[in-house]
Amino acid sequence: MSNLEANTTIGVPALIDGYYAIDYQVHSFRSHDGLASIQEQCRRAVEIGLDEIGFSEHKDFDPKDPVVDYFDYEAYLTEIEAARTEFAGVLKIRAGVEVDYQHWFEDKIANYLDTHPFDFVIGSVHYVDNSMVMTSSYTENRTAEQAYRDYFCAVQDSVESGLIDILGHLEYANRRGIGAYGMYSALHYQKELKSLFRAMIARGIPLEINTAGLHHVGLTYPTAESVEIYTAEGGRLLSIGSDGHEPAKLGYQYATAAEIALSKGLTHLCTWENRQKTEVPIVQN
């Protein structure tokens, strides 16, 4: 049985032997939608053999968002430090943040990051023009081509903002877009993707392979097709994340992400401390 076949059940420890195993998209109760404590997520990380866990708690900036003030930075750091003490020598724990990006509140994001240090910053696009991507309010006046192109434009804005370290769950638009418009092919959007990837490469921003899409729509965010376009453009920087909001989804299908990366020529992962990256081989001898 291959790693791809064996690593498909939520709750079963990931087959990560032989890989340097990270999960840099993890949420706890410190995110408004988290379902576990930092300690519980770390305990699960040790059980499944992760080398590093990166908490990327949601920080929102839209003043109309009901959870805009939910994230408590000081409480978060206190819990991170307690976990680092408890799991010292067993698990590397990184304190990150996932910012919900829209270009109109770039200044708020910049001001926040200037005064709140993190190990890494993930930039993710969930909304475009104040509408959640691919919901009915977003799609009602857009063709499929326009809907995806507007999304990719917003993602490129996040990269060019200079605010982020990792691009989070590219093609998250597929979560609802496939239901709205039918099957998606990255080849249809090569122009937009190539432009985006060139911007990422110029700024040294890694591409995340996010495995949450495998239980949302049966595809990683981004798809393997898009990873191939990324490497063809010269991309080599990689992150992997499960978007796990509970322990059962931590490290979900890690081997699948690792094997996609390796099959497209990506051989190293980026790890982070104080917003400085280090490259580590995916395959460990």
Side-chain angles (χ1 to χ4, degrees), residues 129-166:
D129 298 331
N130 292 301
S131 291
M132 181 171 281
V133 172
M134 301 304 182
T135 57
S136 58
S137 64
Y138 182 85
T139 61
E140 62 180 343
N141 294 314
R142 289 178 169 97
T143 63
E145 288 75 14
Q146 194 61 55
Y148 278 103
R149 286 178 177 136
D150 288 351
Y151 165 75
F152 287 128
C153 181
V155 175
Q156 183 150 345
D157 285 344
S158 76
V159 168
E160 293 179 345
S161 72
L163 296 171
I164 69 173
D165 300 318
I166 301 168

Side-chain angles (χ1 to χ4, degrees), residues 15 46 95-96 139 153 225 243 280:
L15 285 180
V46 172
T139 61
C153 181
E225 268 186 331
D243 225 335
V280 179

